[in-house]
RNA sequence: GGCCCUGUAGUUCAAUGGAUAGAACGGAAGUUUCCUAAACUUUAAAUGUAGGUUCGAUUCCUACCGGGGCUACCA
């Protein structure tokens, strides 16, 4: 069915034709939701139309208003204020709209079919030498939520993770473990595997610094010391061994990486994120060389005297970019060229989204440009979802200063706080212990996820540990609570044998708060679509916050089960039930679960 | 130096070029014989500076000032 905003715009165009004998395109007519503080549902902005009406804005508004009322039965009245024509829709329209969607299970979603565009979303992409931290949390939550949102917008989504499991940094951890590990394992130490390996990475760095200091005090320059420190040389040797498939090295590498994966798996499960497919750099790092060779042959890339291969992007306002070192080995960019190519072969995607921080904006610009130069038209289908850094009250996270917020620690802390608050409020008294834990977990994660996702992805965000644990105001638990309270009302209603079956003809008049809710819900398909188009879960978060605020207002002033008028009672119950389902569905897109009671 | 992002109440966030710039936290004052008060109601408080485009600018353009990032034969 055609949306009412479009119908208003269409009929307004007709009005202009009939009244002023002038053609105005429907797209040029501005129809927007009326401000909260004005009477009306939708507003036609008539300022621009005075150009064709050759009359004052007020007069133009009146004339178009009369025309619209005569031609659109849904319009029950209008008001003109300056250049704004505020149209009021009848209660029948809103109730009729609600009747059509009341039983929808995934209201506003577009179904995925075999013809749906294929969208690959790469996110998370961790290093196996460091445990996940707050920055990864934003990445994971964004990647997951964006995937869900665009899936709900009718795309066939493939969530993929490219694990950085090789390279000199991994060798550092391995070397440190060999030297100082004394055979320690996650089992023997009781440590999470990723944490244990992370410790050895730090240990390497510490020893490296000691060696550097010594070398410099012996008269070496810093640059020289950095390459000549014995420990880094050892790590280089190990990398070479790894690349030559030395069995012992490969065995250790496999073992330690598996520790890390077990650790990551646990964190991913806690966060509730998942992937359709994992890629490993150890299997992809050689990709891309062929592409570079082809590019050299066709002359779009060039060699320098030392044999290194480059792309010249100066014509596009960028620099020259190295693609193969003089020794023929590849760099990170080379591999990304290769994996993009591989993915296109594999999925023939309509779009490929990389969820990666904005510190890599330049990298992705180059990636796209080089692929284009190589003649791949699908380069335009690549999109870098560039999100802002997460800052702490004292500035950026710096491992050197020990200000890195560990993902597992943060989750644990959130759950502890949820437990404490629940206890203080006495909310979970009488709940079985397992349910208590489940509720605290869901509240904690709901708070964390909402806190991060409500911010526009593009923006740098401030993470204040104390605020994030807040459960009041514009927070996840606030939304969860509203939904839970509706579920409770539903149970009460069921006990009293109230069904919530609505009968359109019996609903005479809407309460203002009921009207606001229906109008809000009517907007949802547009919001969801826009969130998918702009890849912004924040839009959904804001929508549900507004909806929930309005619901709480309604709840305060409109009795549901206690309403004596049967038609009203049924309508309110049906509306409440719909909203609870709607919240649960929408929060699901953000990866937030709702407890049954809290 | 070059390139990119970003400046909104005390703080953290909103606002497809539209009306009197919205919330939340924090501050002040209220609401439980009534469906869960993790709620609701009332209240004070902000667009970095200067120009430009427009009927109309927080939004677009230019300059300046402030914050962040990138600019490796690292990944």
């Amino acid at each position: 069915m055609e949306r009412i905003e479009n119908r208003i715009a269409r009929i307004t165009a007709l009005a202009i034709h009939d009244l002023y004998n002038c053609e105005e395109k429907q797209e040029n007519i501005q129809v927007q939701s009326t401000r909260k503080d004005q009477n009306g549902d939708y507003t036609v902005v008539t300022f621009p139309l005075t150009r064709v009406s050759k009359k004052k804005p007020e007069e133009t508004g009146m004339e178009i208003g009369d025309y619209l009322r005569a031609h659109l039965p849904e319009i029950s009245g209008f008001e003109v204020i300056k250049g704004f024509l505020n149209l009021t829709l009848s209660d029948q329209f809103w109730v009729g709209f609600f009747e059509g969607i009341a039983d929808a299970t995934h209201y506003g979603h577009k179904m995925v079919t075999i013809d749906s565009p294929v969208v690959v979303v790469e996110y998370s992409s961790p290093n196996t030498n460091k445990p996940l931290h707050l920055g990864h949390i934003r990445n994971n939550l964004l990647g997951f939520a964006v995937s869900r949102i665009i899936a709900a917008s009718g795309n066939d989504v493939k969530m993929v993770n490219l694990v950085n499991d090789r390279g000199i940094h991994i060798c550092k951890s391995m070397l440190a473990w060999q030297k100082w590990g004394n055979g320690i394992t996650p089992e023997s130490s009781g440590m999470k595997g990723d944490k244990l390996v992370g410790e050895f990475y730090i240990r390497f760095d510490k020893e490296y610094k000691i060696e550097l200091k010594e070398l410099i005090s012996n008269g070496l320059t810093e640059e020289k010391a950095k390459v000549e420190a014995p420990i880094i040389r050892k790590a280089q040797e190990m990398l070479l061994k790894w690349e030559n498939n030395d069995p012992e090295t490969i065995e250790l590498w496999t073992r330690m990486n598996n520790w890390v994966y077990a650790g990551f798996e646990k964190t991913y499960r806690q966060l509730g994120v998942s992937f359709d497919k994992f890629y490993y750099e150890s299997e992809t790092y050689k990709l891309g060389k062929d592409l570079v060779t082809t590019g050299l042959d066709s002359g779009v890339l060039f060699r320098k005297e030392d044999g290194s291969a480059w792309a010249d992007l100066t014509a596009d306002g960028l620099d020259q970019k190295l693609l193969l070192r003089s020794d023929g080995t590849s760099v990170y960019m080379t591999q990304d060229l290769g994996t993009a190519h591989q993915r296109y072969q594999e999925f023939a995607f309509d779009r490929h989204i990389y969820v990666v921080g904005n510190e890599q904006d330049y990298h992705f610009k180059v990636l796209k440009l080089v692929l284009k130069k190589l003649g791949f038209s699908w380069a335009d289908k690549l999109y870098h979802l560039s999100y802002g850094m997460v800052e702490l009250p004292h500035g950026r996270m710096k491992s050197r200063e020990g200000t890195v917020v560990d993902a597992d620690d943060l989750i644990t802390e959130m759950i502890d706080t949820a437990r404490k608050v629940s206890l203080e409020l006495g909310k979970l008294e009488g709940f079985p212990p397992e349910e208590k834990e489940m509720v605290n977990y869901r509240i904690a994660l709901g708070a964390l996820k909402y806190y991060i996702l409500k911010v526009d992805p593009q923006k740098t965000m401030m993470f204040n540990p104390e605020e994030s644990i807040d459960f009041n105001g514009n927070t996840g638990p606030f939304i969860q609570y509203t939904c839970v309270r509706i579920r409770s009302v539903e149970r009460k209603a069921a006990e009293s044998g109230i069904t919530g079956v609505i009968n359109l003809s019996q609903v005479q008049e809407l309460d203002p708060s009921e009207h606001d809710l229906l109008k809000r819900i009517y907007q949802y398909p547009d919001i969801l679509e826009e969130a998918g188009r702009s890849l912004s879960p924040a839009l959904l978060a804001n929508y549900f916050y507004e909806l929930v605020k309005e619901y709480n207002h309604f709840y305060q002033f409109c009795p549901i089960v206690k309403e004596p008028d049967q038609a009203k009672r049924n309508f309110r119950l049906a509306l409440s039930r719909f909203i609870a389902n709607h919240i649960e569905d929408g929060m699901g897109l953000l990866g937030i679960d709702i407890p049954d009671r809290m």
Side-chain angles (χ1 to χ4, degrees):
Chain A
M1 202 157 81
E2 190 183 11
R3 297 201 45 94
I4 194 73
E5 302 97 307
N6 293 340
R7 293 184 65 194
I8 292 170
R10 191 159 53 76
I11 306 296
T12 302
L14 282 178
I16 291 164
H17 176 266
D18 290 357
L19 294 169
Y20 311 122
N21 195 26
C22 184
E23 302 302 325
E24 190 74 33
K25 280 193 189 140
Q26 189 181 325
E27 305 88 79
N28 296 337
I29 293 162
Q30 295 178 52
V31 180
Q32 52 197 235
S33 186
T34 304
R35 281 175 61 107
K36 258 283 180 68
D37 54 354
Q38 300 288 333
N39 293 320
D41 292 312
Y42 290 94
T43 295
V44 179
V45 185
T46 56
F47 284 115
L49 306 179
T50 54
R51 199 183 62 248
V52 295
S53 72
K54 307 233 163 33
K55 291 176 180 171
K56 286 180 187 165
E58 289 85 349
E59 209 175 327
T60 311
M62 289 303 288
E63 289 177 353
I64 295 174
D66 282 327
Y67 188 97
L68 286 173
R69 186 153 64 170
H71 291 79
L72 267 177
E74 288 84 352
I75 293 176
S76 61
F78 68 90
E79 213 174 273
V80 175
I81 295 172
K82 291 188 276 184
F84 300 98
L85 169 58
N86 298 328
L87 304 163
T88 301
L89 302 180
S90 67
D91 285 353
Q92 289 95 308
F93 168 78
W94 292 116
V95 175
F97 152 67
F98 178 62
E99 215 186 23
I101 59 152
D103 297 323
T105 45
H106 294 292
Y107 168 61
H109 289 215
K110 287 200 187 107
M111 289 302 125
V112 177
T113 68
I114 43 165
D115 299 322
S116 294
V118 173
V119 182
V120 177
V121 180
E122 181 190 298
Y123 74 101
S124 201
S125 303
N127 289 335
T128 54
N129 58 338
K130 276 184 201 157
L132 302 174
H133 58 68
L134 183 53
H136 296 109
I137 289 186
R138 191 176 195 190
N139 182 302
N140 282 283
L141 298 183
L142 262 177
F144 184 76
V146 161
S147 298
R148 295 294 285 267
I149 289 167
I150 56 181
S153 311
N155 294 285
D156 183 4
V157 177
K158 315 284 181 200
M159 298 188 275
V160 306
N161 190 347
L162 175 58
V163 182
N164 184 345
D165 62 344
R166 66 162 286 281
I168 185 71
H169 49 291
I170 312 298
C171 293
K172 290 178 182 175
S173 312
M174 287 160 61
L175 187 67
W177 183 85
Q178 272 186 336
K179 278 181 99 94
W180 301 292
N182 297 316
I184 192 172
T185 67
E187 291 76 26
S188 73
S189 64
M191 270 177 96
K192 216 161 148 273
D194 52 334
K195 295 284 172 11
L196 183 66
V197 173
E199 289 292 317
F200 285 103
Y201 185 72
I202 292 167
R203 179 65 189 272
F204 175 94
D205 208 49
K206 213 172 110 193
E207 299 290 340
Y208 182 39
K209 282 206 177 107
I210 293 171
E211 289 188 3
L212 281 184
K213 217 169 163 187
E214 206 178 311
L215 288 174
I216 290 170
S217 70
N218 286 347
L220 256 68
T221 63
E222 195 181 336
E223 271 173 49
K224 243 191 163 157
K226 273 186 176 168
V227 246
E228 292 196 0
I231 195 169
I232 196 78
R233 297 209 134 182
K234 274 250 163 96
Q236 301 278 14
E237 273 171 35
M238 193 177 247
L239 181 61
L240 228 82
K241 277 187 181 170
W242 183 90
E243 293 195 0
N244 290 324
N245 276 315
D246 172 59
E248 205 178 311
T249 309
I250 297 285
E251 194 275 331
L252 177 61
W253 172 78
T254 308
R255 199 141 77 97
M256 289 181 73
N257 270 343
N258 282 335
W259 294 347
V260 174
Y261 297 147
F264 282 173
E265 161 62 23
K266 212 169 166 183
T267 308
Y268 285 145
R269 205 175 334 121
Q270 285 267 295
L271 282 174
V273 302
S274 58
F275 305 91
D276 297 311
K277 185 160 185 183
F278 283 83
Y279 294 87
Y280 299 91
E281 291 196 358
S282 53
E283 292 164 5
T284 62
Y285 79 105
K286 287 180 178 162
L287 293 173
K289 282 191 186 184
D290 296 348
L291 297 181
V292 174
T293 311
T294 316
L296 287 168
D297 292 345
S298 66
V300 294
L301 305 177
F302 71 96
R303 276 192 198 280
K304 290 196 175 173
E305 302 87 43
D306 61 6
S308 55
W310 296 74
D312 185 0
L313 307 173
T314 47
D316 301 283
L318 304 178
D319 297 324
Q320 296 188 342
K321 180 70 192 177
L322 176 84
L323 297 175
L324 290 177
R325 296 190 186 96
S326 47
D327 64 6
T329 56
S330 55
V331 292
Y332 194 66
M333 181 64 71
T334 322
Q335 177 197 233
D336 259 10
L337 294 170
T339 45
H341 181 73
Q342 184 196 45
R343 298 252 178 91
Y344 191 70
Q345 303 294 320
E346 189 175 352
F347 294 108
F349 52 73
D350 294 279
R351 208 168 180 210
H352 189 308
I353 297 168
Y354 296 89
V355 183
V356 178
N358 62 14
E359 61 210 341
Q360 295 201 37
D361 283 356
Y362 184 77
H363 175 81
F364 283 99
K365 261 189 201 165
V366 172
L367 176 67
K368 230 172 134 161
L369 255 173
V370 173
L371 283 170
K372 260 192 172 166
K373 279 193 181 295
L374 292 173
F376 298 114
S377 59
W378 48 262
D380 283 324
K381 299 176 193 286
L382 303 185
Y383 183 81
H384 174 204
L385 173 51
S386 162
Y387 63 90
M389 300 284 99
V390 182
E391 284 183 359
L392 298 168
H394 299 292
R396 271 192 89 172
M397 287 194 290
K398 292 195 179 105
S399 50
R400 234 173 291 149
E401 293 165 23
T403 54
V404 174
V405 176
D406 177 79
D408 298 317
D409 293 351
L410 179 61
I411 293 170
T412 306
E413 199 183 322
M414 299 284 293
I415 296 173
D416 286 345
T417 306
R419 205 176 283 128
K420 211 178 89 207
V421 175
S422 297
L423 193 67
E424 271 169 19
L425 296 174
K427 286 280 180 181
L428 309 183
E429 277 167 26
F431 284 35
E434 321 82 66
E435 190 183 356
K436 271 189 194 171
E437 274 313 289
M438 175 57 82
V439 172
N440 288 325
Y441 166 74
R442 289 190 172 178
I443 291 174
L445 269 290
L448 177 62
K449 290 180 180 184
Y450 186 86
Y451 183 86
I452 286 174
L453 291 174
K454 75 176 175 182
V455 181
D456 182 345
Q458 198 186 17
K459 290 190 176 170
T460 302
M461 69 168 288
M462 172 64 64
F463 187 88
N464 185 326
E466 280 163 29
E467 273 178 30
S468 69
I469 297 178
D470 207 335
F471 300 152
N472 300 313
N474 189 0
T475 65
F478 172 79
I479 294 171
Q480 290 169 318
Y481 176 71
T482 304
C483 187
V484 163
R485 214 160 50 163
I486 296 174
R487 297 303 186 203
S488 173
V489 171
E490 284 185 70
R491 284 192 290 269
K492 287 266 158 46
E495 283 169 23
S496 322
I498 301 165
T499 59
V501 174
I502 53 166
N503 186 330
L504 181 59
S505 60
Q506 285 178 357
V507 182
Q508 297 297 331
E509 203 183 332
L510 291 174
D511 184 89
S513 63
E514 294 168 334
H515 167 271
D516 289 349
L517 285 169
L518 291 175
K519 186 178 164 192
R520 176 76 56 191
I521 293 165
Y522 190 77
Q523 320 277 357
Y524 182 68
D526 286 342
I527 304 277
L528 179 56
E529 192 185 327
E530 177 60 21
R533 204 190 56 72
S534 60
L535 305 178
S536 173
L539 296 179
L540 271 200
N542 289 336
Y543 164 85
F544 280 100
Y545 175 63
E546 294 295 330
L547 177 73
V548 159
K549 248 194 332 174
E550 281 170 351
Y551 184 83
N552 284 337
H553 184 81
F554 158 81
Y555 182 89
Q556 200 73 15
F557 296 103
C558 296
I560 303 163
V561 174
K562 299 195 166 161
E563 168 60 45
D565 182 302
Q566 192 192 331
K568 269 190 188 173
R569 188 175 63 210
N570 283 345
F571 171 69
R572 284 176 184 170
L573 184 58
L575 179 60
S576 298
R577 179 163 52 214
F578 173 83
I579 288 174
N581 292 339
H582 182 37
I583 292 171
E584 207 164 313
D585 182 67
M587 288 297 105
L589 298 183
L590 300 183
I592 295 173
D593 292 323
I594 314 280
D596 296 324
R597 44 184 191 155
M598 62 190 270

